[in-house]
Amino acid sequence: MAALLDIDRLALDLAGATDAAPLVEDFSLRLEPGEVVGLVGETGAGKSLSMRAAAGLLPAAIRSVAGTVGFRGTSVEAADTKGLRARLGHGICLLLQNGRGALNPFLRVQDQVSRILGYQGVPRRERASRAATLLEAVGLPSAEFGARYPHQLSGGQAQRVAMVIALATNPALLIADEPTTALDVTTERDVIGLLGRLCAERALGLILITHNLGLVARICRRVVIMHAGHIVEAGPTAEIFAAPRHPYTRALMAAVPDLETGRLPSPLEGTVPLRSEFGRGCRFLARCPLAQPRCRAAVPALEGEGRQVRCFFPLTAAARPGAALAAV
Amino acid sequence: MAPILSVSGLSRIFGRPDGSGRLLPGCHDIGFDLAAGETIGIVGESGSGKTTLGRCIAGLERPDAGEIRVASMSIAAMDAAARRRLRRTVQIVFQNPETALNPHMTAGRFVAEPLRNFGLVSRAGERARLAELAGMVGLRTEHLDRYPHQLSGGQKQRVGLMRALACEPEIVVLDEPTSALDVSVQAQVLVMLREIQARTGVAFLLISHDVAVIRSVARRVLVMYLGRVVESGPVEAVLGSPRHPYTRALIDAVPRLRGEPADPFRLSGDISLREVAAESCPLRPRCPLAFQRCTTLPPAFEPARGHAVRCWRSDPAAPEEGAGMARDFCSA
């Protein structure tokens, strides 16, 4: 059976670029129904761009220069407008950071949800009760919230309404781009918990784009870590967080403030390189404390089955548990 | 030694009482001292009043009640000259670096403004001072000639901090200084704050929704909920073994890299002023441990020196029902 989503060696670049330094390169990701995968990295890593390609929604300035994207066995690129509509309204849904921005400010909550149900072919007389059921499921009783306008909702409530709208289309794959960044931690816990539960109940595939490693640890069985357009490490979340093999993963983890110990986080030096700064070698080179001459000459391949790492000198078992937390 | 900042009974309330006895938004009856060179963290979620408190201290909001003393002088009693000095002594760095800078000014010009306004350096010495300040916040001199749109978010936040430091302040209010930044840049800024403090002796009031950030930078913390301080004390005590149900819920909600609490403590519903009576504990409608006494506002109990908890469950002289559950809760 075809995978839900199958991205194979995708490369994305600026539409007019002539030199070969793609913004995103050699990006592969396969997702089965009901799988929850975290996609992490700093700003500029190419997370959102890759996922826009997955949904077939690349901005005009960006084009796909290599690789394929398949959704349930059919190519995403080949789809015409009709195919795009069929996929976006039904197969793939996007949930973005700013929930309120996704809502129509002139419509009451219940009407927003009912309208989407209408597009799905739900008969008019059933829409109100279906909308109420969906809102109830995310902890927004229709009696209290149904008649409200978006400006009368808190950020967390608006985000939950946006989630209801995304889920009302009954998608097979939800791409959630920083869905909780604007929320308080207690609200975030509820929203993320809800997402995790819905994925399990409906066999909904979820790709969670986030910079919050703790959230990934909480709900994603698998994680993909990106830096400057490359996947640098991928595999089971628990294994990677217990013993990261790429120096970037280790540095990213060490930069997270630790609530238990209160130790000052270790800063990750430098910033994600710009496209103009991509050399022939590893894109993490300039920030890597372990770089060798070989790292300058070529980009390492993403190697391994199940647990993958893109590094000529991956961290070894001996350097793992203690070193993972030590200053880089 | 007298604290550099002393706040007592501070309230800044928005709206007017409508006779319903509901709690109004703002901050209510806040008191704490900040020593020179110290960092106090203020943590809470949206609507906790932490930003309002910071703005009162920075002089951007006028309190409705209470007193703010800076270097033992009450702000309310200051004459014009003292107020002008105060503008220099107390600085604020805003949350959103995208809007905090002037888009028409280069970073250097933006930071030079307070230097000139307060006559802090001669024109001849200005460039050297700017270069020194840039070094302090981890920028290079070439960044001084750039406009905000030519700087990254992290660099803009450094420029904001640089401008605050240009005034040679005694106190800097940092309102969510890293929440708009990547975790990697956040770590750089947090380390930098420590270094600046060690070098200049400035005191920080660090406002953040992130308990882990507060834990790694601050020495003491105030936990706020709906405008009230519910728990305060040294970070190890308050964030390491929280006594107030709100603090506990906040800490248990934080996603962690390894190992979540097995049985996280949860509150019901969302943070909301609806149904919150002014004279009751603000957490009462959401707290699973609420009981009879929570209809009156608890005083601050001190389970340990310097650790204060506004919860009836921490009352050492509580009637049996309360004390029993408090023991269960605290040992859990």
Side-chain angles (χ1 to χ4, degrees):
Chain A
M1 200 183 109
L4 180 60
L5 179 71
D6 192 359
I7 305 178
D8 188 34
R9 286 163 289 172
L10 181 71
L12 304 171
D13 206 356
L14 296 172
T18 48
D19 53 339
L23 288 168
V24 172
E25 194 176 41
D26 191 24
F27 183 97
S28 298
L29 176 64
R30 215 180 129 91
L31 200 77
E32 301 298 335
E35 246 196 309
V36 179
V37 173
L39 185 54
V40 302
E42 293 163 274
T43 309
K47 314 182 290 283
S48 300
L49 209 52
S50 314
M51 287 305 106
R52 291 191 68 148
L57 286 174
L58 277 178
I62 306 288
R63 69 196 165 94
S64 164
V65 291
T68 55
V69 180
F71 179 70
R72 288 172 160 165
T74 54
S75 167
V76 163
E77 289 101 334
D80 53 8
T81 312
K82 203 173 153 198
L84 190 71
R85 247 191 132 151
R87 187 175 64 246
L88 283 176
H90 305 265
I92 302 182
C93 246
L94 293 167
L95 180 63
L96 304 177
Q97 182 171 341
N98 176 3
R100 205 188 307 269
L103 304 182
N104 183 333
F106 297 107
L107 285 183
R108 293 174 193 276
V109 165
Q110 61 203 15
D111 299 334
Q112 317 234 2
V113 180
S114 297
R115 185 175 280 203
I116 303 296
L117 292 171
Y119 296 146
Q120 302 296 308
V122 174
R124 191 177 293 276
R125 61 181 185 284
E126 288 174 26
R127 286 177 205 163
S129 67
R130 279 277 290 278
T133 313
L134 286 165
L135 287 167
E136 194 83 43
V138 296
L140 299 174
S142 192
E144 188 180 346
F145 294 98
R148 290 201 196 177
Y149 287 96
H151 75 271
Q152 295 167 315
L153 301 172
S154 72
Q157 289 159 355
Q159 191 62 300
R160 278 180 272 177
V161 174
M163 199 187 296
V164 163
I165 288 175
L167 296 173
T169 66
N170 233 337
L173 173 63
L174 182 65
I175 296 171
D177 194 346
E178 303 275 9
T180 60
T181 303
L183 308 182
D184 284 318
V185 280
T186 53
T187 316
E188 171 181 82
R189 201 245 333 262
D190 294 346
V191 169
I192 285 294
L194 185 68
L195 263 182
R197 210 166 56 240
L198 289 168
C199 291
E201 281 171 16
R202 302 187 179 192
L204 171 68
L206 172 67
I207 297 173
L208 179 67
I209 304 176
T210 181
H211 62 268
N212 189 332
L213 301 184
L215 279 188
V216 171
R218 185 174 282 172
I219 66 162
C220 304
R221 194 164 297 170
R222 257 199 313 146
V223 63
V224 174
I225 295 141
M226 288 187 80
H227 178 265
H230 282 154
I231 293 177
V232 294
E233 189 161 5
T237 308
E239 282 179 38
I240 288 180
F241 286 175
R245 301 202 66 203
H246 197 284
Y248 179 66
T249 314
R250 183 175 74 172
L252 203 57
M253 288 172 63
V256 178
D258 189 343
L259 182 58
E260 309 297 334
T261 63
R263 76 182 164 76
L264 206 56
S266 312
L268 176 57
E269 291 311 320
T271 48
V272 178
L274 302 172
R275 183 181 182 280
S276 56
E277 295 161 348
F278 293 166
R280 277 185 301 128
C282 173
R283 289 181 183 175
F284 187 57
L285 180 74
R287 310 173 79 187
C288 185
L290 307 170
Q292 304 285 321
R294 187 180 169 195
C295 309
R296 259 168 235 293
V299 176
L302 187 66
E303 284 176 355
E305 283 293 320
R307 179 93 197 256
Q308 297 174 297
V309 61
R310 187 190 295 279
C311 183
F312 290 127
F313 307 98
L315 302 166
T316 56
R320 272 177 206 169
L325 284 175
V328 176
Chain B
M1 207 177 88
I4 185 70
L5 173 72
S6 180
V7 176
S8 59
L10 179 78
S11 293
R12 173 72 179 105
I13 297 159
F14 300 100
R16 269 200 224 161
D18 58 358
S20 66
R22 291 247 182 88
L23 186 66
L24 292 169
C27 58
H28 305 264
D29 192 25
I30 313 287
F32 66 93
D33 287 344
L34 176 67
E38 188 192 22
T39 300
I40 285 191
I42 297 180
V43 69
E45 298 179 287
S46 328
S48 65
K50 57 190 192 302
T51 292
T52 303
L53 172 62
R55 289 176 61 89
C56 285
I57 288 160
L60 301 174
E61 291 278 352
R62 196 178 287 256
D64 296 308
E67 191 172 46
I68 302 172
R69 299 169 78 87
V70 175
S72 303
M73 284 230 293
S74 170
I75 290 187
M78 283 180 182
D79 59 17
R83 258 176 207 281
R84 187 166 158 75
R85 279 197 301 279
L86 178 77
R87 295 263 172 264
R88 227 190 81 192
T89 313
V90 186
Q91 286 290 311
I92 184 166
V93 176
F94 297 99
Q95 172 171 8
N96 187 350
E98 304 303 319
T99 54
L101 308 192
N102 186 334
H104 299 291
M105 286 186 185
T106 60
R109 177 79 187 76
F110 182 69
V111 178
E113 259 200 329
L115 289 179
R116 291 177 192 178
N117 281 349
F118 290 113
L120 292 168
V121 291
S122 66
R123 284 292 174 102
E126 190 177 284
R127 195 71 196 174
R129 176 67 178 145
L130 286 175
E132 185 191 9
L133 286 163
M136 220 189 285
V137 298
L139 291 174
R140 292 190 302 272
T141 45
E142 70 231 42
H143 290 125
L144 295 173
D145 300 321
R146 296 201 187 150
Y147 286 91
H149 73 270
Q150 296 167 313
L151 297 168
S152 71
Q155 287 165 344
K156 274 182 262 201
Q157 195 57 293
R158 287 166 202 264
V159 172
L161 186 64
M162 194 177 154
R163 174 152 147 145
L165 293 171
C167 301
E168 297 164 33
E170 310 262 10
I171 303 164
V172 177
V173 176
L174 302 160
D175 189 0
E176 300 273 13
T178 60
S179 64
L181 308 178
D182 265 321
V183 62
S184 51
V185 183
Q186 166 173 280
Q188 292 168 8
V189 171
L190 296 180
V191 169
M192 185 184 79
L193 288 176
R194 279 270 190 96
E195 288 168 359
I196 288 169
Q197 191 167 54
R199 189 165 153 188
T200 64
V202 65
F204 289 133
L205 196 71
L206 175 63
I207 297 170
S208 177
H209 68 281
D210 188 332
V211 282
V213 165
I214 298 270
R215 176 88 161 90
S216 63
V217 178
R219 204 162 64 86
R220 287 191 296 144
V221 60
L222 310 182
V223 182
M224 292 186 69
Y225 183 77
L226 291 181
R228 298 196 190 276
V229 173
V230 295
E231 187 164 4
S232 63
V235 287
E236 304 80 33
V238 175
L239 304 179
S241 39
R243 305 283 300 238
H244 197 283
Y246 177 68
T247 317
R248 177 84 182 272
L250 190 63
I251 286 170
D252 281 3
V254 175
R256 288 152 219 243
L257 275 183
R258 303 174 195 80
E260 301 249 343
D263 185 17
F265 184 77
R266 285 166 194 253
L267 302 170
S268 59
D270 296 320
I271 186 167
S272 161
L273 277 163
R274 292 156 53 91
E275 299 167 41
V276 178
E279 81 276 12
S280 78
C281 168
L283 194 64
R284 183 174 164 263
R286 300 181 63 194
C287 182
L289 301 174
F291 66 125
Q292 197 62 46
R293 297 179 82 188
C294 303
T295 49
T296 53
L297 189 65
F301 299 107
E302 279 210 13
R305 207 177 134 72
H307 186 175
V309 187
R310 276 179 171 266
C311 176
W312 287 115
R313 296 284 181 195
S314 286
D315 182 0
E320 201 46 46
E321 44 155 357
M325 288 182 75
R327 270 198 300 275
D328 293 348
F329 170 56
C330 292
S331 61

